Amino acid sequence: MTAIQRFTPLQRLLHWVVAICVLAMLFIGVGMVSSVEPKYLTLVSIHKPLGMAILVLALIRLVVRLRYGAPPLPADLPEPMKLAAHLSHYALYALMIAMPLIGWGMLSAAAYPVKLWDGVYLPQILPQSDSLHTALWNAHFYLAFLFFAVILTHVAAALFHALVRRDGVFETMGPALTRQ
């Protein structure tokens, strides 16, 4: 049996940090759109800088991924599953980058400041426009559901590889529990 090829430690660290941030962001987003209580402002004050952190981390992940690549998928993995794996990763990267940019654009179109922390604001990236704000709000809202669905599919695929196929795919990104 050959040793499992793994993602680099930096790739694994970025994966899990981004995963935690994105899951937190999805739940914060759900809390924001379902609340009119005072906690709404607290959630918004977390949502904006966390979105920008995800954008920066996703861009770093993309550069690192392009630089170091990924371990090969198992040779015996059916071609439709290989295609699904590649497409789902493209979707995840696209959504990790698009969602914060759409949110930033949406806030710019509404002339809302994007405050990262006290005294630090991002510049407006789009002109003020009610119709553009509405379109971007809808895109941000509905893409969040797509993002959640892609994440669930990704987790299901990881569990399928870990528990059913036991083909080493999960271990490429999972913790190093055994010596290789």
Side-chain angles (χ1 to χ4, degrees):
M1 186 165 178
T2 61
I4 296 170
Q5 294 182 359
R6 297 173 57 86
F7 285 94
T8 67
L10 177 59
Q11 286 174 302
R12 292 193 312 271
L13 174 66
L14 286 168
H15 173 273
W16 291 108
V17 169
V18 170
I20 291 165
C21 290
V22 167
L23 287 176
M25 181 63 92
L26 287 171
F27 286 105
I28 289 168
V30 167
M32 283 171 41
V33 298
S34 64
S35 177
V36 291
E37 298 175 16
K39 70 179 178 180
Y40 172 81
L41 294 176
T42 302
L43 294 174
V44 168
S45 71
I46 296 168
H47 193 80
K48 292 176 188 179
L50 185 55
M52 291 302 107
I54 290 169
L55 175 61
V56 169
L57 289 169
L59 292 171
I60 292 169
R61 276 192 72 183
L62 183 58
V63 168
V64 170
R65 175 69 178 262
L66 292 172
R67 168 69 176 91
Y68 294 105
L73 292 169
D76 67 337
L77 192 66
E79 287 303 317
M81 289 179 132
K82 287 181 183 178
L83 178 62
H86 292 299
L87 292 177
S88 70
H89 283 101
Y90 290 133
L92 286 167
Y93 278 101
L95 289 164
M96 284 187 291
I97 294 167
M99 289 294 289
L101 289 174
I102 291 169
W104 186 4
M106 172 187 69
L107 293 171
S108 293
Y112 291 136
V114 180
K115 180 180 176 182
L116 296 181
W117 53 84
D118 286 337
V120 178
Y121 295 87
L122 293 178
Q124 302 293 309
I125 58 171
L126 293 174
Q128 185 174 358
S129 164
D130 291 342
S131 60
L132 183 57
H133 172 262
T134 300
L136 291 172
W137 189 95
N138 285 324
H140 197 70
F141 181 80
Y142 290 110
L143 284 174
F145 288 103
L146 175 63
F147 203 1
F148 192 66
V150 173
I151 290 167
L152 286 177
T153 303
H154 184 70
V155 170
L159 292 173
F160 176 73
H161 284 285
L163 303 173
V164 177
R165 282 190 53 94
R166 298 177 190 218
D167 56 10
V169 170
F170 180 81
E171 288 77 10
T172 65
M173 190 57 80
L177 298 176
T178 60
R179 289 184 181 257
Q180 299 178 8

